[in-house]
Amino acid sequence: MAAPPPTVTPPRPVFRNIHVTDLARYRLPLPGIVSILHRISGALLFLFTWLLLWLLQASVTDAAQFRALYGNPVVKLIVFALLWSLLHHLCAGIRYLVMDVSHQAMELKAARQSSAIVMVVSLLLTVIIGVKLW
């Protein structure tokens, strides 16, 4: 009786944890970048809601105070960043809602295309509206 042939096991995949020092070399795909930016934009909107409400109150109650506040270039840059945060969070949120509803949107090609669309549309809207606000 002959011995059974030896079984060859395929090499196991290597999953490695990413260390903080590896972040500069790690290349994240575009859907991952959109996901991280969605979280960052949501955090920025949450953290700076007080500033937006303060500017809204100043614009309603005292126009001279609002002009003085909004005339500061630092405040304008912060408002511009918050405008991007709002538009990116909105566009990415719509993308995630579509991905929740449609199985086709979850495929790799569609996910990459929709993340590129989110980046282009949010940046384009930010520039268009930002020029009007500046």
Side-chain angles (χ1 to χ4, degrees):
M1 187 174 252
T7 58
V8 177
T9 58
R12 300 187 77 170
V14 177
F15 299 104
R16 54 185 205 102
N17 293 329
I18 298 173
H19 194 267
V20 175
T21 58
D22 296 333
L23 288 178
R25 293 183 307 225
Y26 188 73
R27 197 173 145 94
L28 196 63
L30 189 58
I33 293 170
V34 169
S35 175
I36 290 173
L37 288 177
H38 182 71
R39 293 169 191 221
I40 291 171
S41 65
L44 283 174
L45 288 172
F46 176 74
L47 292 174
F48 284 98
T49 301
W50 64 271
L51 178 66
L52 294 174
L53 290 174
W54 187 33
L55 287 171
L56 178 65
Q57 179 200 7
S59 71
V60 171
T61 58
D62 188 10
Q65 181 187 15
F66 175 75
R67 283 191 208 102
L69 285 172
Y70 196 68
N72 188 345
V74 174
V75 174
K76 281 188 178 184
L77 286 175
I78 292 172
V79 169
F80 192 72
L82 291 175
L83 175 67
W84 168 82
S85 294
L86 176 68
L87 293 171
H88 179 80
H89 201 74
L90 176 71
C91 292
I94 292 170
R95 173 182 179 252
Y96 291 129
L97 286 174
V98 170
M99 289 175 80
D100 284 344
V101 173
S102 171
H103 289 289
Q104 292 174 346
M106 292 294 292
E107 293 182 14
L108 183 61
K109 184 178 179 183
R112 287 182 176 164
Q113 287 175 344
S114 65
S115 60
I117 290 170
V118 164
M119 292 296 285
V120 168
V121 168
S122 65
L123 289 174
L124 190 65
L125 286 174
T126 302
V127 168
I128 292 169
I129 297 172
V131 166
K132 294 278 187 186
L133 288 178
W134 201 272

